[in-house]
């Protein structure tokens, strides 16, 4: 498709399990962002990629969170040993390098940790 | 102090009125400023970007930037019920890494 694609759209997991969330950006977009949005809250910045490198990882909440991007395209956000407070919608967005900040968002992955 | 601050609202205006949404930011070196709209249960979508002081108009929307006051606003003229949504202000930092920080959003309700 032409837009940002995220999978899974919904994930229910048990506390302590690991989860992987995938993001496929718009073709040609070199910048890729991950945000987290809890119910009724704003967007919490997690990590930003320019190509395959991550100039800014400052938003990752703990060392249980990691992200990678390969081939300058698909990105995976991994949460290890999930906790109930990790429950949120995880949003991925991409943009052209020339227009940082003009983001195109995917539909999000809703994570529920029981 | 939060990096980007908005009044959470809700801001309620009658149909046809002007809605005024405000945002302040803490990083004086910020370069780029954006307004996103988020309908309930949906992802944010970009509606305006502004990079220099002054006003920028696009249809019924006007973005205003005052870097000296570290203040950004969005005016929506002739508000429609379909404008009812949460409006998110977003700002890039002075470090120019591309990191985009969002405010908490202001919920706008346009009543018929």
């Amino acid at each position: 498709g032409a837009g940002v694609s995220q999978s899974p759209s919904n994930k229910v997991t048990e506390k302590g399990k690991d989860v992987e969330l995938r993001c496929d950006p718009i073709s040609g977009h070199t910048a890729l962002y991950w945000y987290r949005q809890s119910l009724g809250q704003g967007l919490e910045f997690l990590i930003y990629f320019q190509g395959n490198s991550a100039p800014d990882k400052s938003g990752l909440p703990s060392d249980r969170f990691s992200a990678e991007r390969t081939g300058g395209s698909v990105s995976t956000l991994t949460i290890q040993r999930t906790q109930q407070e990790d429950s949120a919608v995880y949003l991925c967005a991409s943009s052209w390098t020339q227009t940082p900040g003009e983001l195109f968002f995917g539909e999000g992955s809703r994570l529920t940790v029981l | 102090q939060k990096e980007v601050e908005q009044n959470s609202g809700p801001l309620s205006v009658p149909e046809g009125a002007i809605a005024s949404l405000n945002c302040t930011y803490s990083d004086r070196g910020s370069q780029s400023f954006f307004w996103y709209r988020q309908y309930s249960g949906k992802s944010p979508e970009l509606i305006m970007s502004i990079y220099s002081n002054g006003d920028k108009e696009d249809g019924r929307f006007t973005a205003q930037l005052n870097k000296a006051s570290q203040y950004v606003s969005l005016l929506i003229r002739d508000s429609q019920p379909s404008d009812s949504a949460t409006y998110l202000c977003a700002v890039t930092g002075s470090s120019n890494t591309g990191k985009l920080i969002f405010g908490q959003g202001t919920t706008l309700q346009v009543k018929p």
Side-chain angles (χ1 to χ4, degrees):
Chain A
V4 177
S5 178
Q6 291 189 245
S7 62
S9 55
N10 263 292
K11 177 73 175 179
V12 180
T13 191
E14 294 179 347
K15 178 181 172 181
K17 295 286 181 66
D18 297 352
V19 296
E20 282 191 355
L21 307 177
R22 175 189 166 101
C23 174
D24 196 347
I26 292 172
S27 179
H29 279 192
T30 54
L32 186 147
Y33 301 74
W34 283 98
Y35 289 88
R36 178 169 74 174
Q37 189 171 35
S38 301
L39 189 63
Q41 301 299 308
L43 274 67
E44 177 187 2
F45 172 82
L46 297 179
I47 191 169
Y48 155 71
F49 288 92
Q50 182 59 251
N52 289 338
S53 64
D56 196 323
K57 304 180 182 179
S58 62
L60 293 177
S62 74
D63 59 8
R64 296 187 295 106
F65 288 72
S66 63
E68 65 175 13
R69 189 180 185 194
T70 55
S73 182
V74 172
S75 176
T76 302
L77 177 69
T78 301
I79 309 172
Q80 296 179 311
R81 303 181 303 282
T82 52
Q83 303 295 312
Q84 289 184 330
E85 60 263 29
D86 299 334
S87 297
V89 176
Y90 290 79
L91 291 164
C92 176
S94 66
S95 74
W96 299 106
T97 301
Q98 300 90 327
T99 55
E102 296 189 7
L103 305 188
F104 294 81
F105 281 87
E107 293 299 311
S109 292
R110 181 177 298 277
L111 175 65
T112 303
V113 182
L114 302 177
Chain B
Q1 181 187 11
K2 291 182 181 177
E3 293 178 83
V4 181
E5 295 209 46
Q6 298 180 253
N7 187 324
S8 61
L11 172 66
S12 183
V13 300
E15 184 174 355
I18 296 175
S20 177
L21 305 161
N22 304 313
C23 171
T24 58
Y25 59 94
S26 61
D27 186 344
R28 184 168 289 279
S30 293
Q31 301 290 322
S32 308
F33 308 86
F34 306 87
W35 285 98
Y36 284 77
R37 178 176 62 199
Q38 186 174 27
Y39 290 113
S40 180
K42 299 295 186 181
S43 296
E45 57 179 333
L46 178 67
I47 53 172
M48 289 287 288
S49 58
I50 187 166
Y51 302 96
S52 55
N53 280 330
D55 294 0
K56 179 181 178 183
E57 187 175 319
D58 184 1
R60 295 186 296 111
F61 298 96
T62 299
Q64 299 175 317
L65 174 61
N66 183 326
K67 289 186 178 180
S69 300
Q70 296 175 240
Y71 178 91
V72 192
S73 65
L74 179 70
L75 300 178
I76 307 174
R77 290 182 300 282
D78 187 23
S79 295
Q80 301 297 308
S82 59
D83 295 326
S84 298
T86 297
Y87 290 81
L88 300 162
C89 174
V91 177
T92 58
S94 56
S95 60
N96 204 30
T97 63
K99 178 179 177 180
L100 186 66
I101 299 299
F102 284 81
Q104 291 295 99
T106 297
T107 299
L108 173 66
Q109 297 174 345
V110 181
K111 299 194 172 180

